[in-house]
């Protein structure tokens, strides 16, 4: 065994990879892994045998022994990790299928993990398309465990790299078949894969495969999607080698540059992760499916025909992606429909433009000018559904173009006379600013800001707020500094409103003013200082004295060379004046400023500062300085302030590194303080605005409170008046009641006085019978019902019960009594027919022989013996019978004349009329 082991270890790795003994193969895989890890770079000779014979890896990953297979997959991972792109491209064609079939479905968890890592490395080193193409056929494998393992691996791949790196379209085409598989593990892994794709694509995946699923599967997926909707947007967890190199390069460049470029590059790379159905769908030739008679139907005089034609066109164009074609005539027809009188036709035409713009995207840009103006003009329609359809269509048109193309027409319609058009156009501009990915240029920014500033003075509040929102959104894109000139003329309240919109605005465009040029400009002044001594001199002629102070740095440099080198060159000045007259005339202005003898003394401190840095360079400059020395008779008044500026200018070149660093720190501190001051000022303005709003709100609350107090007092006054009126009315009712009682008594006396009867109780009994008879309940024979009560000698209208509790009869009872009296009077006027006593026994019997004898009721036995029918008769029938009997008895037995009864009836009717009149005056009912 020892001899064999020595022989095996001495064999080359390629021979041991194909050895019959699995232990030898396993040891060979382990040794290969160690060798790969020791290689210095990808061009090491260790990789050459495995690059030349890629079939070695096919046997390694599909080894029949699971222990050897695990080490073989580990060796492949090390080979890919250290071998680079060549190791990937040479071996992936032969290893992907064995990895999927043998590695992903292995019984060992370590082997599964290594197989998945190998697939991820293949994608990381190059691209994902070849790996996905090799994995898709295994989704139709006979063994369910291989299908499930493949789906699980695809889920891990998309989770690591995302849908931006790995194209999801090939998977979405075949994944619906997995939902119909008989194995539940396959269906579960398919659901996990779709949920992972939904994390990246959201609703964009539905048009591609949603129709291939049944209703129950869709419901199950919707439940899984609900949990994903709450998660933040996913990010790529694993970078490709190309992305890693770009990141390293950007970070290295940013370290040498301004130090922030790498982060910006990453943000720009990560932000456009949005993937919609357009990117995933295949183009559809919709033009060939359009009805040939479309234009004829759109020209019909019936709106129903036009609407049906547009409905059919919308159904054809409503696809995720449309193949480009000659849609000029269709777009012109849709633009013409914007002028249609029927709003249903306008709405559907706008929907057609919407789907066509979404389907063509950039291909729709050439049709923008045809449809945008008619749609903006149609905003005058007040129906909200039409405005919504037009706004959505305009958003799609803007998505197919850019802000520069649309801005001119938008600004033109912001000046429209119709307030509805102006308001909707303003909303469209705000949406454009929020969705554009390109920041507007400076002229565009100025035009937008000017238009928005004018809108701040509009009469309608919505338009003013829209103008402030435009300025705030534009500030979010361009920055506060760029927008400061446009906000200077605004009052504090409007500035605060713009700031609020600026803080809440969400935009997608990035501010352009981030040039990399400023670092080179910092180095430029050092080179320009040499030339700056001459070039500014030429420019001193044109400006006034302030620019003359600009080229002062050469002046302090001149005295030093003159002090040591002026003596051997006394003839220098005339030559310099003759050779360069312009230069000789300019420099004397600078040197003669302090005076003839003063310049050396005045500039001596400057020489100490500036000489160390420009000792060698200003050698040619003294020539001009000497030439200017002869012109000492220049006036002293002009350049009197010149020495101050040269002092400030000359100190900068002579500063040490520490002083320069301190100056930079002070400048940075100053900028920081200025920014803090600006922030505090903005915060103060905001608080002042809030205070102002709260004061207005407080004043409004005080006003409302005052109004409520006054209203309550008015209600209380009304209530007091109503109570007093009620008391007065109640008193009036009592007074009228007393008057009624008095009139009743007078009426009774009048009836008794007009009656010629003897001083017997006949008339009184008749009056009692008429006026004291029961009112409401209709009980006339009260003496037959001892439990109910009786009338005694109490005042008129008072009824005394058997229990001794008197109560006053109501006006309704008096009314009934009045009606009874009228009935009695009417009945007396008629002659009573003769009837036999046996047929109608009289209810009352007269006692005594005189005509005015008293009337006594019949005995109770006779009343009871009259039969149950009469006893059960209603009160009304009994009342009529009594009236009839009384009248007949009065006529037969010599009652008072008929005139007395007529008089009583007239008095009663007059009394009733007076009572009704008084009630009408008081406006009170019986309830009082």
């Amino acid at each position: 065994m020892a001899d064999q082991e020595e022989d095996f270890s001495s064999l080359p790795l390629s021979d041991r990879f194909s050895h019959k003994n699995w232990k030898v193969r396993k040891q060979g895989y382990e040794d290969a892994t160690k060798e790969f890890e020791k290689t210095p770079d990808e061009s090491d000779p260790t990789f050459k045998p495995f690059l030349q014979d890629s079939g070695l890896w096919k046997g390694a990953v599909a080894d029949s022994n699971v222990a050897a297979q695990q080490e073989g997959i580990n060796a492949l991972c090390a080979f890919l990790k250290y071998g680079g792109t060549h190791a990937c491209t040479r071996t992936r064609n032969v290893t992907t299928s064995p990895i999927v079939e043998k590695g992903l479905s292995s019984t060992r968890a370590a082997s599964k993990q290594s197989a998945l890592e190998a697939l991820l490395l293949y994608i990381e080193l190059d691209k994902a398309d070849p790996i996905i193409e090799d994995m898709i056929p295994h989704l139709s494998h006979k063994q369910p465990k291989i299908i499930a393992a493949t789906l699980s691996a695809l889920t891990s791949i998309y989770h690591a790299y995302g849908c931006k790196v790995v194209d999801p379209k090939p998977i979405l085409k075949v994944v619906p078949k997995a939902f119909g598989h008989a194995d539940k593990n396959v269906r579960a892994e398919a659901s996990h894969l779709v949920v992972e794709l939904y994390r990246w694509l959201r609703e964009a995946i539905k048009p591609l495969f949603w129709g291939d699923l049944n209703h129950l599967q869709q419901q199950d997926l919707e439940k899984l999607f609900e949990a994903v909707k709450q998660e933040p947007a996913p990010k790529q967890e694993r970078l490709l080698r190309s992305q890693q190199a770009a990141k390293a390069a950007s970070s290295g460049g940013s370290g040498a540059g301004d130090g922030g470029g790498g982060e910006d590059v990453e943000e720009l790379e990560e932000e456009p992760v949005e993937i919609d159905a357009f990117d995933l769908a295949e183009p559809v030739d919709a033009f060939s499916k359009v009805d040939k008679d479309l234009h004829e139907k759109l020209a019909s005089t019936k709106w129903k025909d036009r609407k049906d034609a547009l409905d059919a066109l919308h159904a054809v164009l409503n696809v995720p992606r449309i193949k480009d074609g000659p849609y000029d005539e269709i777009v012109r027809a849709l633009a013409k429909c914007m002028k249609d009188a029927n709003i249903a036709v306008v709405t559907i035409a706008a929907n057609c433009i919407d789907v066509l713009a979404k389907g063509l995207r950039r291909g729709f840009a050439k049709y923008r000018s045809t449809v945008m103006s008619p749609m903006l003009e149609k905003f005058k329609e007040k129906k909200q559904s039409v405005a919504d359809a037009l706004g959505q269509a305009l958003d799609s048109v803007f998505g197919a173009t850019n802000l520069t193309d649309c801005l001119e027409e938008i600004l033109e319609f912001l000046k429209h006379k119709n307030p509805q058009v102006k308001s909707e156009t303003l909303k469209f501009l705000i949406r454009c600013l929020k969705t554009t990915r390109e920041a507007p240029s400076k002229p565009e920014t100025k035009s937008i800001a000017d238009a928005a500033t004018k809108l701040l003075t509009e009469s309608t509040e919505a338009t003013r707020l829209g103008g402030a929102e435009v300025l705030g959104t534009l500030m979010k894109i361009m920055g506060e500094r760029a927008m400061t000139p446009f906000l200077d003329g605004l009052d504090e309240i409007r500035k605060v409103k713009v700031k609020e919109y600026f803080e809440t605005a969400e935009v997608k465009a990035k501010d352009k003013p981030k040039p990399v040029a400023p670092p080179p400009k910092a180095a430029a002044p050092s080179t320009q200082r040499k030339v700056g001594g001459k070039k500014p001199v030429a420019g001193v002629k044109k400006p006034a004295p302030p620019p003359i102070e600009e080229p002062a740095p050469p002046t302090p440099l001149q005295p030093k060379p003159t002090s040591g080198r002026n003596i051997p060159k006394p003839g220098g000045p005339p030559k310099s004046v003759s050779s360069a007259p312009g230069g000789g005339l300019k420099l004397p202005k600078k040197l003669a400023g302090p005076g003839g003898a003063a310049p050396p003394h005045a500039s001596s401190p400057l020489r100490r500062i500036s000489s160390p840095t420009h000792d060698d360079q200003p050698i040619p400059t003294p020539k001009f300085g000497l030439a200017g020395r002869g012109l000492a008779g220049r006036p002293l008044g002009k350049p009197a302030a010149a020495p101050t500026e040269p002092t400030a200018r000359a100190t900068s070149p002579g500063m040490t590194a520490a002083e320069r660093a301190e100056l930079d720190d002070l400048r940075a501190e100053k900028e920081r303080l200025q920014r803090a001051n600006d922030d505090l000022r903005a915060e103060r303005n905001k608080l002042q605005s809030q205070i102002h709003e709260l004061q207005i709100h407080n004043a409004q609350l005080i006003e409302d409170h005052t109004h409520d107090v006054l209203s309550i007092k008015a209600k209380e006054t009304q209530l007091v008046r109503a109570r007093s009126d009620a008391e007065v009315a109640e008193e009036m009712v009592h007074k009228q009641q007393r008057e009624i009682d008095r009139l009743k008594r007078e009426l009774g006396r009048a009836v008794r006085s007009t009656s010629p009867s003897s001083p017997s109780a006949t008339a009184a009994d008749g009056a009692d019978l008429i006026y004291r008879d029961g009112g409401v309940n209709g009980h006339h024979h009260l003496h037959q019902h001892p439990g109910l009560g009786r009338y005694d000698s109490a005042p008129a209208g008072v009824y005394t019960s058997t229990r001794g509790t008197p109560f006053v009869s109501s006006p309704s009872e008096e009314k009934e009594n009045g009606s009874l009296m009228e009935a009695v009077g009417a009945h007396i006027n008629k002659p009573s027919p003769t009837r036999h006593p046996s047929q109608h026994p009289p209810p009352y019997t007269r006692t005594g022989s005189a005509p005015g004898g008293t009337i006594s009721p019949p005995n109770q036995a006779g009343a009871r013996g009259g039969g149950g029918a009469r006893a059960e008769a209603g009160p009304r029938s009994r009342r009529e019978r009594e009236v009839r009997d009384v009248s007949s008895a009065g006529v037969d037995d010599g009652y008072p004349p008929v005139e007395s009864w007529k008089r009583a009836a007239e008095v009663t009717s007059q009394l009733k009329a007076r009572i009704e009149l008084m009630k009408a005056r008081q406006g009170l009912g019986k309830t009082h």
Side-chain angles (χ1 to χ4, degrees):
M1 289 295 292
D3 296 337
Q4 289 181 357
E5 287 179 3
E6 291 176 3
D7 295 337
F8 294 153
S9 61
S10 62
L11 290 175
L13 289 175
S14 57
D15 294 342
R16 282 191 277 175
F17 268 47
S18 57
H19 201 275
K20 294 180 180 180
N21 192 338
W22 67 271
K23 293 183 179 180
V24 178
R25 297 197 302 272
K26 180 176 178 293
Q27 188 64 38
Y29 301 150
E30 294 175 353
D31 294 343
T33 302
K34 296 177 182 178
E35 291 294 331
F36 295 149
E37 292 175 353
K38 296 177 182 179
T39 55
D41 53 22
E42 300 174 359
S43 60
D44 192 89
T46 308
F47 298 106
K48 187 174 293 185
F50 300 97
L51 292 173
Q52 292 175 351
D53 187 8
S54 57
L56 296 173
W57 293 113
K58 182 177 181 181
V61 298
D63 201 297
S64 57
N65 186 275
V66 292
Q69 180 193 20
Q70 180 178 343
E71 297 299 333
I73 298 176
N74 292 336
L76 176 63
C77 293
F79 176 71
L80 295 173
K81 184 176 181 180
Y82 299 103
T85 307
H86 291 290
C88 167
T89 55
R90 295 285 184 88
T91 60
R92 65 187 173 192
N93 295 330
V94 296
T95 57
T96 304
S97 294
I99 288 174
V100 175
E101 291 183 1
K102 301 294 184 180
L104 294 177
S105 60
S106 176
T107 57
R108 292 196 171 193
S111 299
K112 289 182 180 180
Q113 189 63 31
S114 299
L116 179 60
E117 180 64 22
L119 294 175
L120 295 176
L121 284 171
Y122 274 122
I123 296 174
E124 177 183 332
L125 291 169
D126 188 23
K127 55 184 180 180
D129 295 342
I131 304 300
I132 300 299
E133 291 176 1
D134 291 340
M135 293 178 69
I136 286 177
H138 294 86
L139 294 176
S140 303
H141 202 276
K142 295 180 181 180
Q143 298 183 16
K145 68 174 185 177
I146 294 179
I147 300 176
T150 305
L151 290 171
S152 178
L154 289 171
T155 304
S156 301
I157 289 172
Y158 282 108
H159 185 80
Y161 293 106
C163 292
K164 185 182 178 183
V165 175
V166 186
D167 189 8
K169 287 190 289 185
I171 300 300
L172 289 173
K173 292 178 181 178
V174 298
V175 75
K177 296 180 181 178
F179 282 95
H181 200 278
D183 190 86
K184 64 177 182 180
N185 295 328
V186 174
R187 297 195 300 270
E189 292 297 339
S191 299
H192 295 161
L193 175 58
V194 171
V195 170
E196 181 61 35
L197 291 175
Y198 185 82
R199 289 180 64 242
W200 295 88
L201 304 178
R202 299 297 177 180
E203 298 296 326
I205 66 171
K206 290 186 177 181
L208 302 178
F209 80 103
W210 202 249
D212 298 333
L213 304 178
N214 60 42
H215 184 64
L216 294 177
Q217 293 169 348
Q218 292 178 359
Q219 286 183 343
D220 294 340
L221 288 177
E222 285 289 354
K223 293 178 182 178
L224 297 174
F225 292 164
E226 289 297 327
V228 178
K229 290 178 181 178
Q230 307 300 328
E231 299 179 1
K235 293 184 180 180
Q236 185 177 342
E237 296 182 357
R238 190 162 179 166
L239 300 178
L240 302 178
R241 287 291 174 89
S242 57
Q243 293 175 335
Q244 294 175 13
K247 183 178 179 180
S250 63
S251 61
S254 64
D258 65 352
E263 296 178 1
D264 296 340
V265 171
E266 280 188 32
E267 289 178 2
L268 292 174
E269 287 180 356
E270 291 180 3
E271 189 167 346
V273 178
E274 302 174 1
I275 302 175
D276 55 7
F278 183 84
D279 301 322
L280 303 175
E282 295 293 334
V284 177
D285 187 9
F287 183 77
S288 60
K289 301 178 183 179
V290 177
D291 190 1
K292 304 300 180 184
D293 300 333
L294 175 65
H295 299 287
E296 297 178 4
K297 293 179 180 179
L298 291 178
S300 175
T301 56
K302 297 181 179 180
W303 72 268
K304 186 68 174 175
D305 296 341
R306 301 195 298 273
K307 179 178 178 297
D308 293 341
L310 291 173
D311 284 334
L313 178 62
H314 184 270
V316 172
L317 298 177
N318 192 14
V319 292
R321 192 169 184 174
I322 300 175
K323 185 179 180 180
D324 199 4
Y327 293 96
D328 306 74
E329 294 296 331
I330 295 176
V331 172
R332 279 195 288 269
L334 293 175
K336 187 177 180 181
C337 290
M338 293 293 108
K339 300 179 182 179
D340 200 292
N342 190 280
I343 59 175
V345 175
V346 176
T347 303
I348 300 174
N351 294 337
C352 291
I353 294 174
D354 177 29
V355 295
L356 184 60
K358 287 180 179 177
L360 290 176
R361 290 290 172 92
R362 293 299 176 186
F364 191 83
K366 53 189 174 183
Y367 308 124
R368 180 202 58 79
S369 58
T370 307
V371 296
M372 179 166 281
S373 293
M375 285 195 293
L376 290 172
E377 185 69 33
K378 196 59 181 178
F379 271 137
K380 62 186 178 183
E381 180 63 46
K382 295 184 179 180
K383 197 164 184 66
Q384 189 60 36
S385 60
V386 180
D388 293 341
L390 292 172
Q392 186 174 355
L394 285 170
D395 292 343
S396 300
V397 172
F398 177 76
T401 57
N402 53 40
L403 184 62
T404 303
D405 296 339
C406 304
L407 186 59
E408 183 178 356
E409 294 183 49
I410 293 174
L411 295 178
E412 189 65 29
F413 276 89
L414 284 178
K415 305 173 185 176
H416 203 277
K417 296 180 180 179
N418 192 316
Q420 182 77 10
V421 176
K422 185 184 296 185
S423 175
E424 294 296 333
T425 306
L426 183 59
K427 295 178 183 177
F428 175 52
L429 175 59
I430 294 171
R431 295 196 300 270
C432 291
L433 292 174
K434 289 182 177 179
T435 56
T436 182
R437 294 189 177 277
E438 298 178 1
S441 61
K442 290 184 178 180
E444 292 171 351
T445 303
K446 185 178 184 304
S447 58
I448 295 173
D450 292 344
T453 305
K454 292 179 182 178
L455 294 175
L456 294 176
T457 59
E458 288 288 332
S459 58
T460 58
E461 183 181 2
T463 308
R464 295 195 299 270
L465 293 178
E469 188 172 0
V470 169
L471 290 174
T473 309
L474 191 62
M475 183 185 292
K476 192 77 170 183
I477 298 174
M478 304 303 297
E480 296 184 58
R481 183 177 180 182
M483 291 296 295
T484 301
F486 305 109
L487 303 180
D488 287 341
L490 302 179
D491 54 16
E492 292 299 326
I493 296 178
R494 290 172 179 167
K495 284 183 181 179
V496 171
K497 206 68 179 175
V498 172
K499 276 279 189 179
E500 291 177 359
Y501 283 113
F502 162 71
E503 293 171 358
T504 58
E506 296 180 2
V507 297
K508 297 181 179 179
K510 295 296 180 180
D511 190 11
K512 286 183 180 177
K514 291 182 182 178
V516 191
K521 286 182 182 178
S526 61
T527 57
Q528 289 177 357
R529 284 193 191 104
K530 303 173 185 177
V531 187
K534 298 179 182 180
K535 286 188 178 178
V537 174
V540 175
K541 279 184 178 181
K542 299 178 181 178
I548 298 176
E549 301 168 3
E550 193 77 22
T555 50
L557 300 178
Q558 294 165 5
K560 184 169 184 177
T562 52
S563 60
R565 300 179 185 176
N566 272 350
I567 299 172
K569 294 182 181 179
K575 291 181 182 178
S576 62
V577 172
S578 61
S579 60
L585 291 174
K586 295 167 191 171
L587 290 174
K589 292 181 182 179
K590 297 179 286 185
L591 298 175
H601 302 287
S603 60
S604 59
L606 301 179
R607 285 199 304 271
R608 297 191 194 107
I609 299 174
S610 60
S611 57
T613 55
H614 295 283
D615 236 352
D616 302 326
Q617 296 165 357
I619 295 175
T621 313
K623 298 180 180 179
F624 299 96
L626 291 173
R629 290 286 249 190
L631 302 175
R634 302 287 293 180
L636 300 176
K638 286 185 180 180
T644 58
E645 180 68 16
T647 305
R649 297 283 182 179
T651 52
S652 58
M655 292 175 62
T656 62
E659 293 173 342
R660 193 169 298 158
E662 185 179 0
L663 180 61
D664 294 339
D665 293 341
L666 291 175
R667 288 174 178 172
E669 182 69 16
K670 178 183 176 183
E671 292 178 359
R672 187 183 65 79
L673 292 175
Q674 287 178 347
R675 286 195 300 270
N677 190 19
D678 294 339
D679 294 341
L680 291 175
R681 189 175 292 121
E683 184 69 19
R684 185 192 65 183
N685 296 334
K686 184 177 180 180
L687 293 175
Q688 287 178 350
S689 174
Q690 292 178 355
I691 291 171
H692 181 65
E693 292 177 358
L694 291 174
Q695 288 175 348
I696 295 175
H697 185 61
N698 188 25
Q700 184 67 28
L701 290 177
I702 293 173
E703 183 179 356
D704 294 343
H705 177 68
T706 306
H707 182 270
D708 293 340
V709 171
L710 294 177
S711 177
I712 292 171
K713 289 184 178 179
K715 295 295 182 184
E716 290 178 351
T717 304
Q718 292 178 3
L719 184 59
V720 171
R721 289 178 180 176
R723 286 176 179 172
S724 63
D725 293 344
E727 292 175 356
V728 171
E730 188 176 358
E731 184 179 357
M732 184 65 70
V733 168
H734 291 311
K735 183 178 180 181
Q736 295 300 330
Q737 188 67 36
R738 291 193 297 271
E739 183 69 18
I740 290 171
D741 295 339
R742 187 183 63 79
L743 291 175
K744 283 183 181 180
R745 289 192 297 272
E746 290 180 359
L747 179 61
R749 285 195 297 270
V751 170
R752 285 193 298 272
S753 64
T754 56
S755 174
S757 59
S758 62
S760 61
T762 306
D765 293 342
D768 289 344
L769 177 65
I770 295 174
Y771 292 105
R772 296 185 185 179
D773 197 6
V776 178
N777 297 326
H779 298 288
H780 302 282
H781 301 283
L782 296 177
H783 58 277
Q784 296 179 7
H785 303 280
L788 295 177
R790 60 186 177 82
Y791 280 100
D792 52 10
S793 60
V798 178
Y799 174 78
T800 306
S801 65
T802 56
R803 297 180 182 178
T805 306
F807 60 90
V808 181
S809 62
S810 64
S812 61
E813 296 174 350
E814 301 296 332
K815 188 175 181 180
E816 290 186 3
N817 293 333
S819 63
L820 178 61
M821 291 172 61
E822 290 178 1
V824 170
H827 195 74
I828 290 174
N829 293 334
K830 297 181 181 179
S832 300
T834 60
R835 22 184 210 280
H836 196 272
S838 61
Q839 295 176 352
H840 300 285
Y844 296 92
T845 59
R846 186 182 303 273
T847 59
S849 58
T854 60
I855 300 172
S856 61
N859 56 16
Q860 296 180 0
R864 291 192 186 96
R870 273 187 313 194
E872 294 176 357
R876 186 174 180 182
S877 62
R878 289 200 302 270
R879 181 183 303 172
E880 292 175 356
R881 188 167 58 253
E882 287 183 8
V883 171
R884 187 169 57 249
D885 294 341
V886 170
S887 62
S888 62
V891 172
D892 294 342
D893 297 336
Y895 257 70
V898 176
E899 288 77 7
S900 63
W901 293 104
K902 287 183 179 180
R903 176 63 180 167
E906 291 174 359
V907 172
T908 304
S909 61
Q910 292 175 3
L911 179 59
K912 286 174 56 180
R914 289 181 63 184
I915 292 171
E916 295 297 330
L917 182 59
M918 285 187 293
K919 288 184 179 181
R921 287 177 181 176
Q922 295 298 327
L924 301 174
K926 278 196 306 184
T927 56
H928 294 286

